[in-house]
Amino acid sequence: MSQNTYDDNNIFAKMLNGDIPYHKVYEDDKTLAFMDIMPQAKGHVLVIPKQKAVDLAGLEPEYAAAVLMTAKKVMAAQRQVFAREGVIQMQLNGSEAGQTVFHYHIHLIPSSIHELGRHAAVQADNVELADIAQQLAKKIIE
Ligand code: 5GP
């Protein structure tokens, strides 16, 4: 179902409130980056603003800038950890486009468009996600 108004009970809002766990990669005052639980390739990260935006239409300029700056940091870390250049930056607006969580987010997927796995289909191993999150986080701090 598409949404025009922000639902405070969406899964990413619950993460921001500290109500459900996630594998954190990076956080600052305006953004949060964490592992996608159903990755389309190994190392799939989501970057979200700490602003209640359903999609790109509702994203405020300062948060738009902030999520992109965090995305740059995450991508640099992904390139180091996975020793590959290819990182797909993807962002879906509306259920027709395939959006399933209605809090704006950028996907960063170390992959090629020709190799990309199915969207939100297969749950990854929790231990592996924790390990990758730690490796990426370490590269961002360094
Ligand atoms: P969208 O379809 O809205 O562009 O992407 C939503 C993404 O959130 C999907 O890639 C999906 O795998 C991911 N996702 C859905 N539920 C959870 C969750 O509970 N935790 C995490 N970390 N990711 C989730």
Side-chain angles (χ1 to χ4, degrees):
M1 193 180 74
S2 265
Q3 287 182 226
N4 296 319
T5 52
Y6 187 85
D7 174 8
D8 282 310
N9 287 317
N10 79 73
I11 200 94
F12 296 168
K14 286 181 179 168
M15 288 180 189
L16 286 171
N17 287 337
D19 292 338
I20 61 161
Y22 54 86
H23 299 289
K24 181 155 78 177
V25 171
Y26 177 79
E27 181 171 18
D28 60 23
D29 60 330
K30 289 193 174 62
T31 68
L32 176 66
F34 54 89
M35 302 310 297
D36 192 307
I37 208 169
M38 291 172 274
Q40 289 181 250
K42 201 184 178 115
H44 185 161
V45 172
L46 301 172
V47 182
I48 67 174
K50 294 182 177 178
Q51 186 222 321
K52 296 178 180 183
V54 172
D55 63 17
L56 183 59
L59 191 63
E60 290 167 10
E62 62 182 303
Y63 287 93
V67 285
L68 275 182
M69 294 315 291
T70 295
K72 281 167 66 100
K73 290 181 180 137
V74 171
M75 186 180 80
Q78 287 170 319
R79 283 180 161 171
Q80 287 181 67
V81 168
F82 297 105
R84 67 180 296 171
E85 185 196 19
V87 177
I88 296 170
Q89 180 184 324
M90 179 177 84
Q91 190 262 312
L92 308 177
N93 297 286
S95 57
E96 186 187 5
Q99 185 177 4
T100 55
V101 178
F102 296 93
H103 179 116
Y104 175 92
H105 51 283
I106 292 176
H107 297 260
L108 289 168
I109 315 170
S111 189
S112 152
I113 195 69
H114 306 295
E115 296 168 11
L116 205 55
R118 284 186 61 78
H119 182 62
V122 184
Q123 191 135 343
D125 178 67
N126 237 339
V127 175
E128 188 186 17
L129 287 182
D131 178 54
I132 295 171
Q134 215 172 39
Q135 289 184 58
L136 292 171
K138 213 165 146 242
K139 288 294 175 196
I140 293 177
I141 293 163
E142 278 167 4

